[in-house]
Amino acid sequence: MLRRLAAFLALVFALPFTMLGVYAAFVPVLPLDDAAGEGGAPAGEATRADSLRVTDRNGVLLRDVRTGDGKRARRLPLAAFGERVPRAVIAAEDKRFYSHAGVDALALARAAWDGASAGRVASGASTLTQQLARTLVHAPRTTKAKLEVMALALRLEAAYSKEQILEAYLNEIEFGPNVRGAEAAAELYFGKPCSELSLAEAAAIASIPRGPTIYDPTRRPEQLRRRRDRVLDRIEDAGLATREEVARAKGEPIVLAPRFSPSAAPHLVAALLAGRLGPVPAPEGGELRTSIVAELQTEATVAARRTIDALGEQGVTAASVVVLDNDSGEILAYVGSPDATDVARLGGNDGVLALRQPGSALKPFVYELGMERLGLVPSSVLPDVELSFPGPDGASFRPRNYDGTFHGPVLLRDALGSSFNIPAVHVAERLGVAAVLERLRALGLTSLDREADHYGLALALGDGEVRLVDLANAYATLARGGLARPVVATAGGGGSVEPARVLDERAAFLVTHVLTDPSARLASFGDDSVLELPFEVAAKTGTSKGYRDNVTVGYTPEVTVAVWVGNFDGSPMRGVSGITGAGPLFHEVMSAAARLRPPTPFARPEGLVDVEVCALSGHRPGADCPHRRLDVVPEGTELATCEMHRRARVDRLSGERAGASCSPRFVEERVFEVLPPIYADWARAARRPLLPSTFSERCPAGPEDDATSHAVRIVYPRDGARFFVEPSGRRPTIRVRVASSGEASLRLDGRPVPDAVLVLGPGTHTIAAAAGGARDEVTVTVE
């Protein structure tokens, strides 16, 4: 009797499974996606794409870009998951995985008994294979669907090995909200692959499929911790870890990777995928490899964070950095903002692509163009005195220096190195704003898209908005000796484009030579400034009007670094300049970049020679020049002999000039400065040692004494200046500036002119000024 009852019960228990097995035989086999290419080609509904992996140039993950269904996904062969995660998943979800045929009868019986006892569903009975089947067909949780899933699970077990099923499970199941697969979850939550997870981290990952929303690590870490500890107990019960290992794992806190690590470059990834950094190449193997170097990116991001923290009390909330490889144009580091998630500081903005005024950072290109078209050299003397220039709206433009003082006659080297404003505007006026604007656009500063009259001469001082990445690339053109390359953001993307010559090679080197000269910066920045590093680097700062932006840009032959400091809302900073705000950040990032690309000396092109010049006039020293320096000029440059120093006899008592007939006991010789009239007011205010204009009563001038001095001088334009007709046909307009001791009259090509503003046509012109019996004359050319 008992045997018959047992047989009847066995039949009753087995009959549903027999019927299920028969039904399963008619269920179509779904192909399993195989990330490693093992077990057949992916096809059908089970086929799913990986999310796009955006990496640094060495394969370090920067960001997982979600697939078309909005999920992060990363597929791996089973062996690549390591041992801990697969074992933890089996312990957590299906401890008899290797002994059942897809449906666990014992688990079903236990679940039924638990449910009957509790009056509700108290425990699950789905195997890994059933969970996989439900995911593949998107089955609802109805009774009919559950039976179909069980049948499909049996069919999968008959068609595939346990290893293939486990691999598919680890790749297809949701391991978090919009996270498909264990590898994607490990990288998202812990910042590393499954193969590198600790026992506690593996147990945490294995805990998530039971309820991807309930055990979301970012939103419910405490629920996940409790679930993880239960999974660890099951791992111990299964003999997969010792009691001591489990105890240590339970004591390990759940530490999630930051949403954006310092190396993540979120602004670069967003700009790249949006096409704002040029065409996006086709990914290879689901991976888009950027040109970023993760280590340098981390250092730049951390340095930017430190900078705004240090300058917070001065009203600074934002900083941006871009580092370029000069040889290829590739971006090595890109910090749009120190923290893309910082809402209070508007960190979602990208300062590398934002339009900002660069201030004095445009001056090197003005001087380089002056070297090409005006014959300027680093020792050319330029006026740094109070001058009035024509403004774009007809009003006068009176530039001032950052330090509020004038410096008289300055050499171009010092004017650029110390960033004096007036000499730069003077050169820009001689060139013409249109020519300066055309050159800046040729260098890639195409955001300067207004007419030349809109900017006026203030363009030389950075009164126009440019992108930091474009400014960096313009400086990289200087570093390449005048060769321009496009900026690229993907590894290997810069080698396919031939560079184009934009700047004269020798002029570009001369500008570089100035920007590397610490002595040229002394007047404005002092000794041992943040622009000086243990290696040769050319650097320039810039501060926009109103202290809203400051930048520092510099380069070695290998890399160019550009940094910006300010506020994304455009509010002004308080007492922050390029040397105190952006300068320290530049110093830190350039030092880091130099560790990546060790710097070498700048290569000097042929056709340049060293010359000794007078430190005041920039000409060849005369016998009376007290201070001299070495400089570099192109071969064939004709330098006049200095006329700004003159030795003269003076009366010992009065200091006035002494005639030749005066007794030697009343006389001594001194060296005086003889400056053009344009410097007269400055020289008197600065108490310069000017040649006396009068002779002593006891030592009057004789017939042999030179008692004359210049009474009139044409300050602008200079003799030999060249001007250019604009492409539109517009002729150059110049304002003649004359320094004289009396009222001066002007003549153009021999004809009197009533106004100092002249419109010149093509050809050679003579401009003459006369005052009293004195006369000065210059010749200019319009091309």
Side-chain angles (χ1 to χ4, degrees):
M1 185 66 181
L2 291 176
R3 286 183 178 180
R4 290 181 180 179
L5 180 60
F8 175 74
L9 292 175
L11 179 62
V12 170
F13 185 74
L15 184 59
F17 291 98
T18 302
M19 295 176 63
L20 187 63
V22 172
Y23 175 61
F26 295 94
V27 173
V29 179
L30 287 179
L32 298 181
D33 228 333
D34 193 339
E38 302 170 1
E45 190 176 4
T47 301
R48 304 178 191 228
D50 281 0
S51 51
L52 175 65
R53 287 173 53 83
V54 183
T55 72
D56 87 330
R57 67 188 309 114
N58 298 313
V60 176
L61 180 66
L62 301 179
R63 176 178 164 189
D64 247 335
V65 181
R66 297 182 182 185
T67 60
D69 62 0
K71 299 184 185 299
R72 299 175 184 267
R74 174 67 170 156
R75 308 181 61 76
L76 292 179
L78 181 60
F81 286 98
E83 294 184 351
R84 283 177 170 162
V85 170
R87 289 178 176 179
V89 166
I90 291 173
E93 296 293 329
D94 190 359
K95 65 181 180 181
R96 285 185 290 275
F97 172 69
Y98 284 105
S99 61
H100 62 64
V103 177
D104 189 344
L106 292 177
L108 283 173
R110 186 209 69 234
W113 177 263
D114 290 345
S117 302
R120 58 180 176 82
V121 176
S123 61
S126 293
T127 63
L128 293 184
T129 316
Q130 287 174 260
Q131 294 177 43
L132 174 62
R134 184 186 306 115
T135 298
L136 295 179
V137 298
H138 308 290
R141 294 184 178 273
T142 63
T143 301
K144 178 183 177 182
K146 289 181 178 181
L147 292 174
E148 292 174 346
V149 164
M150 293 170 69
L152 178 56
L154 293 174
R155 193 72 180 90
L156 290 174
E157 290 275 352
Y160 297 103
S161 68
K162 289 288 188 180
E163 287 72 22
Q164 288 174 305
I165 292 171
L166 181 57
E167 177 183 307
Y169 181 94
L170 293 172
N171 283 320
E172 296 292 344
I173 296 297
E174 285 208 12
F175 280 79
N178 295 317
V179 180
R180 184 169 63 242
E183 183 71 4
E187 290 179 341
L188 174 64
Y189 299 131
F190 296 112
K192 49 188 167 181
C194 284
S195 59
E196 297 179 10
L197 295 179
S198 67
L199 177 61
E201 292 167 339
I205 291 294
S207 301
I208 298 173
R210 177 62 60 91
T213 301
I214 296 173
Y215 301 115
D216 181 354
T218 61
R219 295 181 179 273
R220 295 182 172 85
E222 184 55 31
Q223 287 93 321
L224 176 63
R225 186 195 62 77
R226 290 195 293 266
R227 167 76 177 154
R228 179 203 67 179
D229 290 350
R230 291 194 296 271
V231 170
L232 285 170
D233 288 336
R234 295 181 181 182
I235 290 173
E236 181 185 348
D237 293 343
L240 301 176
T242 66
R243 178 174 298 180
E244 292 75 16
E245 290 172 335
V246 168
R248 283 196 301 270
K250 286 183 177 181
E252 184 177 316
I254 296 178
V255 179
L256 301 181
R259 181 181 175 189
F260 292 121
S261 73
S263 66
H267 295 91
L268 171 101
V269 175
L272 175 61
L273 297 179
R276 300 183 69 190
L277 294 171
V280 183
E284 297 183 4
E287 181 175 292
L288 181 60
R289 187 160 292 204
T290 72
S291 55
I292 289 292
V293 178
E295 296 87 352
L296 181 60
Q297 177 71 23
T298 297
E299 290 193 71
T301 302
V302 172
R305 289 177 181 171
R306 280 199 296 262
T307 295
I308 61 174
D309 288 343
L311 297 174
E313 293 185 357
Q314 294 168 269
V316 176
T317 62
S320 301
V321 180
V322 64
V323 182
L324 302 181
D325 179 274
N326 292 336
D327 185 54
S328 64
E330 293 178 352
I331 299 173
L332 302 178
Y334 184 116
V335 182
S337 76
D339 186 352
T341 64
D342 191 336
V343 177
R345 289 173 167 170
L346 305 179
N349 288 282
D350 185 348
V352 174
L353 297 182
L355 293 176
R356 295 288 179 180
Q357 289 190 355
S360 296
L362 295 187
K363 289 176 183 173
F365 309 111
V366 175
Y367 287 116
E368 190 282 334
L369 186 59
M371 292 178 182
E372 287 189 32
R373 296 191 179 179
L374 304 178
L376 299 179
V377 294
S379 60
S380 294
V381 67
L382 301 170
D384 186 17
V385 294
E386 185 169 13
L387 295 175
S388 177
F389 299 90
D393 55 358
S396 62
F397 172 45
R398 296 177 178 270
R400 292 290 184 269
N401 290 320
Y402 181 80
D403 61 5
T405 63
F406 303 108
H407 306 90
V410 296
L411 304 192
L412 184 153
R413 175 176 296 276
D414 299 322
L416 174 55
S418 291
S419 200
F420 299 146
N421 288 336
I422 298 164
V425 176
H426 169 77
V427 172
E429 186 190 35
R430 292 173 61 183
L431 289 165
V433 178
V436 174
L437 181 59
E438 181 183 16
R439 174 53 57 88
L440 293 175
R441 289 172 178 168
L443 285 160
L445 302 177
T446 54
S447 59
L448 298 171
D449 55 2
R450 306 290 291 272
E451 294 296 325
D453 287 346
H454 170 78
Y455 301 107
L457 290 171
L459 180 63
L461 307 183
D463 194 3
E465 294 184 328
V466 302
R467 304 191 310 174
L468 188 66
V469 66
D470 296 333
L471 185 63
N473 200 32
Y475 273 76
T477 300
L478 282 172
R480 289 187 287 262
L483 295 175
R485 278 187 174 279
V487 172
V488 292
T490 53
S496 60
V497 180
E498 286 296 320
R501 179 156 298 284
V502 177
L503 308 177
D504 177 80
E505 182 182 14
R506 292 188 299 180
F509 174 81
L510 291 176
V511 169
T512 297
H513 196 266
V514 171
L515 296 179
T516 59
D517 184 0
S519 64
R521 295 191 285 262
L522 280 175
S524 290
F525 304 121
D527 196 12
D528 196 26
S529 75
V530 294
L531 300 185
E532 296 178 36
L533 289 101
F535 47 87
E536 193 175 45
V537 57
K540 184 73 188 73
T541 64
T543 302
S544 69
K545 57 186 178 183
Y547 295 95
R548 286 177 170 80
D549 312 279
N550 63 65
V551 299
T552 300
V553 193
Y555 53 93
T556 65
E558 290 71 30
V559 298
T560 295
V561 173
V563 306
W564 166 83
V565 167
N567 297 295
F568 285 126
D569 64 2
S571 58
M573 300 169 285
R574 296 186 292 275
V576 178
S577 67
I579 201 71
T580 60
L585 176 56
F586 166 82
H587 186 105
E588 193 168 351
V589 176
M590 178 57 84
S591 298
R595 291 191 290 271
L596 176 69
R597 298 279 196 274
T600 58
F602 288 98
R604 177 166 163 168
E606 295 182 358
L608 297 174
V609 294
D610 295 322
V611 295
E612 186 181 48
V613 298
C614 171
L616 179 65
S617 69
H619 292 167
R620 292 192 181 275
D624 300 324
C625 291
H627 303 293
R628 308 168 184 221
R629 62 164 66 166
L630 281 178
D631 217 320
V632 183
V633 300
E635 281 182 346
T637 300
E638 295 184 6
L639 295 178
T641 301
C642 175
E643 295 181 351
M644 287 188 179
H645 292 103
R646 184 185 302 179
R647 185 176 297 275
R649 291 156 46 91
V650 296
D651 186 322
R652 293 178 186 270
L653 293 178
S654 67
E656 296 172 292
R657 293 181 65 179
S661 61
C662 193
S663 171
R665 63 195 181 91
F666 299 135
V667 176
E668 67 180 19
E669 288 190 341
R670 300 178 190 169
V671 175
F672 295 94
E673 294 178 359
V674 181
L675 304 178
I678 189 175
Y679 301 109
D681 291 341
W682 168 83
R684 284 191 292 269
R687 304 179 68 83
R688 301 294 295 184
L690 297 176
L691 179 68
S693 59
T694 60
F695 279 77
S696 166
E697 288 186 6
R698 64 174 178 174
C699 298
E704 68 275 26
D705 292 309
D706 178 15
T708 63
S709 61
H710 291 293
V712 64
R713 183 179 181 86
I714 296 177
V715 177
Y716 178 80
R718 72 172 182 85
D719 190 40
R722 298 162 61 200
F723 300 91
F724 300 88
V725 177
E726 296 183 9
S728 64
R730 182 178 179 182
R731 297 181 177 187
T733 300
I734 65 171
R735 179 182 292 274
V736 180
R737 294 200 304 275
V738 178
S740 67
S741 55
E743 185 175 352
S745 61
L746 291 176
R747 286 178 176 267
L748 174 63
D749 298 329
R751 299 187 305 273
V753 291
D755 193 357
V757 178
L758 305 178
V759 179
L760 303 180
T764 301
H765 302 277
T766 299
I767 302 171
R775 189 174 186 276
D776 193 19
E777 182 179 285
V778 298
T779 300
V780 300
T781 303
V782 177
E783 301 176 2

